[in-house]
Amino acid sequence: MGDSIGLWANSPFLTNLLSSLTGFCFAVPVAIIVLHRVSIFQMDHQQWRILSDLASDLSHRMSVLAMGLRVQSLPSEHETAVGAFWTARDEAVVAIKDWLHAWDIADQQRLASALEQVVTQGERCIRAWNACWRRTPDISGALAEIRMRWNTLVSDVEPRLRNIGRPLFPTSELHLEIDEALEWIGAGSASGRLETRPPTWIEEARSALACIRRADAASSSTSLVESIHHLEAAVSSSNEEHDRYEYLAEVTIRLRSVVDAAITGPQRLSS
């Protein structure tokens, strides 16, 4: 309308002023919208970098702690130590069965030597185990640290990453496996309680061996037989305990790989 009636012909200053005001009315809202979107992106990206670094550190540390349950750090040396343990375990089982057979047939001449063999092989089995896995106090401390880091990862870091659209775990499968592994091995429930830790076979075996040493090889008392059976059950349960530690190492290694893939994938590189 101003152009049609020639309103601006003699008012160049007013024309410039109104032109600037018109540009301002368009430019400022657009700039605010753009800057707002850029700031949100930058905040999300900064939060992603901090959280992804924390997730990587937590998962790597969990893997290191799980692998640290092994006495031998090199895989080949660990496999050798495990092989020696299985050999000692089998020989301990054979010695126990030989003594029980001698007891059943009341072979007094074999009982003393067979009992000595049971004690020898039982102690050898324990030593072979201690060459594979850390002692109970060290293992308990490591498991507590693993559980603490896992709780931080799944209850704090992962939900915050999911909120910004970048979850660590595409499915819940691995999440459930690690929870089950920690509960199975005795590292407590998701709440962090550790009282669920089952007694180790080493504790049971040492208790049985102590009773056997105090017993008379030729005694007719059933306490000796009960101690032998107690030792047999303890040695047999070592298989499950070994599997617990190996499985924990396996799932934490997979966790480390999944987290590394999530934080170094195309999504992060493109950002």
Side-chain angles (χ1 to χ4, degrees):
M1 290 178 61
D3 288 339
S4 64
I5 63 176
L7 181 62
W8 322 118
N10 298 318
S11 305
F13 175 76
L14 180 61
T15 301
N16 291 335
L17 185 62
L18 291 176
S19 297
S20 299
L21 179 62
T22 303
F24 178 84
C25 290
F26 280 101
V28 170
V30 172
I32 290 175
I33 294 173
V34 172
L35 290 175
H36 177 66
R37 296 296 301 172
V38 169
S39 65
I40 290 177
F41 174 81
Q42 290 177 336
M43 289 174 60
D44 285 350
H45 181 60
Q46 183 179 12
Q47 187 177 16
W48 160 250
R49 292 185 60 183
I50 294 172
L51 292 174
S52 63
D53 288 343
L54 180 56
S56 177
D57 179 70
L58 290 170
S59 63
H60 281 230
R61 185 57 183 161
M62 285 176 62
S63 177
V64 169
L65 287 167
M67 295 296 291
L69 300 181
R70 300 175 175 180
V71 173
Q72 307 296 334
S73 57
L74 295 178
S76 58
E77 294 179 354
H78 175 69
E79 290 177 5
T80 300
V82 169
F85 166 71
W86 291 132
T87 299
R89 179 182 179 275
D90 292 343
E91 291 178 357
V93 171
V94 169
I96 291 170
K97 292 186 180 301
D98 285 346
W99 187 91
L100 291 173
H101 177 69
W103 179 269
D104 289 338
I105 63 176
D107 187 346
Q108 298 297 328
Q109 293 182 345
R110 287 180 54 194
L111 280 175
S113 60
L115 187 64
E116 182 179 352
Q117 189 68 7
V118 167
V119 174
T120 299
Q121 294 300 336
E123 292 175 342
R124 178 170 173 250
C125 187
I126 291 175
R127 289 195 300 272
W129 174 271
N130 288 334
C132 298
W133 304 104
R134 301 288 179 186
R135 298 184 182 275
T136 302
D138 297 332
I139 289 178
S140 298
L143 294 181
E145 287 193 49
I146 291 173
R147 168 55 78 180
M148 179 184 66
R149 283 168 170 78
W150 173 242
N151 286 347
T152 300
L153 184 62
V154 298
S155 63
D156 181 28
V157 178
E158 207 279 336
R160 291 164 66 187
L161 285 171
R162 190 175 294 276
N163 286 339
I164 61 176
R166 299 183 176 184
L168 287 176
F169 308 118
T171 67
S172 61
E173 181 180 357
L174 180 60
H175 185 293
L176 294 174
E177 286 181 0
I178 295 179
D179 267 336
E180 290 173 355
L182 289 172
E183 291 182 30
W184 182 35
I185 203 172
S189 62
S191 63
R193 294 192 300 269
L194 299 175
E195 65 269 23
T196 59
R197 183 185 71 83
T200 66
W201 82 270
I202 288 285
E203 295 167 345
E204 300 288 342
R206 284 175 175 162
S207 174
L209 285 171
C211 293
I212 291 170
R213 291 190 190 98
R214 293 193 298 267
D216 180 3
S219 172
S220 59
S221 171
T222 59
S223 61
L224 179 58
V225 179
E226 292 175 354
S227 297
I228 294 291
H229 281 301
H230 188 187
L231 178 62
E232 182 181 26
V235 171
S236 298
S237 67
S238 64
N239 181 47
E240 181 181 351
E241 194 165 336
H242 167 81
D243 290 345
R244 290 174 186 169
Y245 298 151
E246 292 288 17
Y247 183 62
L248 182 63
E250 175 192 335
V251 294
T252 53
I253 288 173
R254 283 198 284 124
L255 170 67
R256 178 174 176 173
S257 299
V258 168
V259 171
D260 285 347
I263 67 177
T264 59
Q267 192 177 32
R268 177 171 186 178
L269 295 178
S270 62
S271 62

